[in-house]
Amino acid sequence: MFTIDEDIEFLAHGAVSGQRKYPRWPEGGRLLRWREIVAGVLLLILFGLPWLEIEGHPLFLFNVLERQFIFFGVPFWPQDFHLVALGLLAFIVFIIVFTVAFGRIWCGWACPQTIFMEMVFRRIEQWIEGDFKAQQRLTAAPWTAEKIRKRVLKHGLFFLIAFAISNTFLAYIIGKDELIQIQTDNPANHLGGLTALLIFTLIFYFVFARLREMVCVVICPYGRLQGVLLDKKSIVVAYDYVRGEPRGKRRKQSTEVKGDCVDCSLCVQVCPTGIDIRKGTQLECINCTACIDACDGVMDKISKPHGLIRYASQEGIEQGKKFQFTGRLKAYTLVLILLLGGLGYLLLTRKAIETTVLRASGLTFQQQANGQISNLYTVEVLNKTFKPVALEFKVKNPGFSLQYVGQPLQTAQPGTFTKSSFFLLTPAKGIQENKTPLTIEVRANGQLMQEVKTNFMGPVL
C-alpha cells in the first residue's frame, strides 16, 4: 500500500505543479474496488443504451432538435412537455433529498465526469507516464524524444476516447441509425453532423485533458448546491478528529499522548482535488473515498482500526449519534413522493391518441336548405405511438350527425399531427338552447380512446 514517511515533498496541496494536480493512486483500497465495479457497470450502460431497441425504435432518445424523446421505448412529444417538466422537477428534488442525507456521494460514485476522469483518463496517464511522481518529473523535464512520444501517445488516446464519448452522446440525441449514416456516408452529405461530432470531441478532450478536476471545483453547480443543503446530520466523507487529534508521528521513546492520525498526509496525496480532509468538509470534496482507502491502509500498518476517515456526519463524530431521518429530510421526502405520485398518475392516464376539437372561430351556425343547423369544427389528432391507427369519430348525443369537409379523417400516421374539418348537423326543431354541450367519441383501431367535449351553437326556436 503506502510507506508512511515516503515523498513528503509531494504533499503540498495534492502535489501541485502550477495549477496541475498529481494525485496518488490509492492502490488496493476496499472502496476503490467497489468504485471500479460501479464504474464498469455504468460505463457499460452508458455506451450500450444507444444501441438497444424495442420494436425497431431506440430504448432511449433525447432528440432536442426535433423535440422527440423516448424513455424505455415510450415516445414523448412536445405536447407532453408538462410530463418532462414534472419529471425534471422530481429529479431535482431527488438530488436535494439525496444530498441532504448522503452529501456529494453522487459525484464520487456515479458522475460521468468523475468516472471518466478517475477510471479512464488517469489510468491511461498512469500507464503511459507512470505514477504521480513520474508524471511530475516528466512535466518538469525538457522536451526530449521520450517526453514527446509519451505526450503524443497520451493525448492521442485522450482524443480517441473523447471521440468515442462524443459519438455516444450524439447517438442519444439523433439515434444510432442516423449516427451510423453520418459515419459511413459521403461526408459532404453530413457536414452538420460531422461538425457537431468534432465540436463535442474537442469539448470532451478539453474537459478531460485540461480542465480535469476544475470542472468539479469551479464549473459544476452541484458543488455549490451542496454547501446550501448539507448540515451536521448529513453523511459525508469526514475525518474523525475526536479520535485522530492531536496528530503526529509516533516515536518509540516518546510518552506524549497522540491521536490515531500519524500526520502522513497520504489522504492529501490521493485527493484528486488536492484538499486536506482533516480540515473538515469542503466544497472541493467529491466524496471519491480515496482518502478513506489511503487512511485505512495506514491504520493497518500501525494496528489501528479502520474508520479514522469514513462516511459519517459531523454530529456522529462529535456525539456518536447514528444517522437520523430528520424533520427536514422528511419534508423533502414528502415533496418527492407527491411529485412522483403525480407524475405516475399522469403517465398512467396518458393517452396514446390526443385529439383536439375546436369550433371554427368567427362563425356561429349555418342554416342548411334541408332545415338542419350546422356548425363547422376543426379537428387535430396527434398519434403518440410508433404505428398508424385507424380513426373513427362519433357524436354521442342523439340527433346529431357528422359530415366531413373533403376527405374523411380515417388514419393517423405515427408521430404526426393529422388535421381535418367537419360539420355537425342536427334538425333545427331539435335545438332546445343556444349552446348545446356535445360529446364526441374518438376511437382508434376500434377502441375508445377519448371523449372530447365541445359546444354546438344554434338558434332557439
Side-chain angles (χ1 to χ4, degrees):
M1 286 285 289
F2 298 104
T3 303
I4 296 175
D5 57 351
E6 181 184 52
D7 300 304
I8 301 300
E9 65 271 17
F10 286 93
L11 302 181
H13 304 292
V16 179
S17 174
Q19 295 299 316
R20 169 72 185 279
K21 294 179 175 57
Y22 298 84
R24 185 172 188 163
W25 191 253
E27 298 177 0
R30 172 178 55 88
L31 293 175
L32 174 62
R33 289 193 294 270
W34 279 109
R35 284 179 61 210
E36 290 173 336
I37 294 173
V38 171
V41 172
L42 292 178
L43 287 174
L44 182 63
I45 293 174
L46 176 68
F47 285 103
L49 280 183
W51 304 94
L52 298 180
E53 292 185 344
I54 296 179
E55 298 181 352
H57 299 280
L59 184 65
F60 282 88
L61 184 70
F62 307 94
N63 193 338
V64 295
L65 303 176
E66 299 178 2
R67 296 182 296 175
Q68 180 184 3
F69 306 92
I70 301 176
F71 299 94
F72 299 101
V74 179
F76 291 84
W77 305 93
Q79 291 71 23
D80 298 314
F81 178 77
H82 61 289
L83 297 176
V84 177
L86 190 59
L88 290 174
L89 183 60
F91 180 70
I92 292 172
V93 175
F94 171 76
I95 291 177
I96 292 174
V97 172
F98 203 76
T99 304
V100 170
F102 303 109
R104 209 172 173 178
I105 192 172
W106 156 267
C107 298
W109 288 79
C111 177
Q113 166 69 22
T114 303
I115 290 176
F116 277 115
M117 189 69 253
E118 300 301 320
M119 300 299 173
V120 178
F121 287 90
R122 287 203 199 277
R123 290 295 184 92
I124 292 174
E125 203 166 49
Q126 291 167 359
W127 172 59
I128 295 174
E129 297 183 352
D131 62 13
F132 73 117
K133 295 178 291 183
Q135 292 173 31
Q136 193 177 31
R137 287 195 294 267
L138 185 67
T139 300
W143 284 94
T144 62
E146 180 184 8
K147 181 174 180 177
I148 293 174
R149 177 182 61 82
K150 288 183 177 181
R151 287 296 167 89
V152 169
L153 177 60
K154 182 183 79 170
H155 288 282
L157 290 176
F158 279 9
F159 190 85
L160 288 177
I161 296 173
F163 182 71
I165 297 172
S166 67
N167 275 267
T168 300
F169 275 86
L170 196 59
Y172 278 104
I173 297 174
I174 63 176
K176 69 177 183 66
D177 294 334
E178 189 168 344
L179 176 65
I180 293 175
Q181 189 175 8
I182 291 175
Q183 295 171 338
T184 58
D185 199 5
N186 184 348
N189 298 330
H190 304 281
L191 293 179
L194 291 173
T195 301
L197 268 178
L198 179 60
I199 292 174
F200 274 121
T201 299
L202 292 174
I203 290 174
F204 285 123
Y205 169 78
F206 181 70
V207 165
F208 294 112
R210 298 299 178 188
L211 285 180
R212 302 166 78 92
E213 64 279 341
M214 294 303 294
V215 173
C216 305
V217 176
V218 177
I219 299 175
C220 180
Y222 183 46
R224 301 290 186 271
L225 181 65
Q226 74 156 352
V228 178
L229 297 176
L230 294 182
D231 57 25
K232 292 184 177 181
K233 302 179 186 296
S234 301
I235 303 296
V236 295
V237 173
Y239 166 67
D240 189 346
Y241 59 89
V242 176
R243 171 185 158 188
E245 301 295 325
R247 72 183 77 157
K249 296 190 179 299
R250 298 177 176 274
R251 307 186 186 281
K252 294 182 180 180
Q253 307 299 328
S254 176
T255 59
E256 185 180 0
V257 178
K258 296 282 188 180
D260 286 353
C261 178
V262 297
D263 203 19
C264 63
S265 294
L266 288 177
C267 57
V268 183
Q269 291 189 45
V270 298
C271 179
T273 59
I275 67 170
D276 188 344
I277 194 63
R278 296 170 298 179
K279 295 180 180 179
T281 302
Q282 297 158 65
L283 176 68
E284 296 84 357
C285 179
I286 60 172
N287 282 211
C288 69
T289 71
C291 55
I292 296 179
D293 283 334
C295 188
D296 285 349
V298 174
M299 293 300 104
D300 287 336
K301 291 181 179 297
I302 63 175
S303 301
K304 293 289 184 178
H306 291 178
L308 181 59
I309 302 176
R310 64 183 185 274
Y311 278 118
S313 65
Q314 182 179 342
E315 193 176 74
I317 289 176
E318 292 176 349
Q319 305 174 26
K321 291 184 178 180
K322 295 183 178 180
F323 175 75
Q324 296 178 345
F325 198 53
T326 63
R328 180 182 178 214
L329 195 54
K330 290 177 182 177
Y332 287 140
T333 304
L334 178 61
V335 173
L336 178 61
I337 292 174
L338 292 175
L339 287 172
L340 291 176
L343 180 61
Y345 172 78
L346 292 175
L347 289 173
L348 290 174
T349 57
R350 175 178 178 264
K351 303 294 185 181
I353 303 296
E354 187 174 295
T355 306
T356 303
V357 176
L358 297 173
R359 204 166 51 81
S361 61
L363 298 176
T364 54
F365 59 89
Q366 303 83 37
Q367 291 184 332
Q368 304 294 331
N370 58 3
Q372 290 188 318
I373 302 297
S374 66
N375 281 195
L376 179 62
Y377 296 84
T378 59
V379 57
E380 294 182 348
V381 178
L382 173 62
N383 180 3
K384 297 181 180 180
T385 69
F386 290 124
K387 298 178 181 179
V389 296
L391 295 174
E392 181 184 356
F393 294 86
K394 182 180 179 182
V395 185
K396 196 172 182 180
N397 302 60
F400 287 85
S401 61
L402 187 149
Q403 179 181 322
Y404 281 100
V405 178
Q407 293 295 324
L409 179 56
Q410 296 178 331
T411 305
Q413 297 300 321
T416 60
F417 260 117
T418 305
K419 297 183 179 181
S420 185
S421 299
F422 59 76
F423 285 105
L424 291 183
L425 302 100
T426 189
K429 62 182 180 180
I431 298 177
Q432 303 296 323
E433 52 187 324
N434 180 260
K435 183 184 293 185
T436 304
L438 296 182
T439 301
I440 301 176
E441 293 182 347
V442 182
R443 295 183 178 271
N445 297 329
Q447 292 185 338
L448 179 63
M449 298 298 296
Q450 192 174 356
E451 291 187 345
V452 182
K453 305 293 184 180
T454 187
N455 293 306
F456 185 90
M457 302 296 293
V460 179
L461 302 178

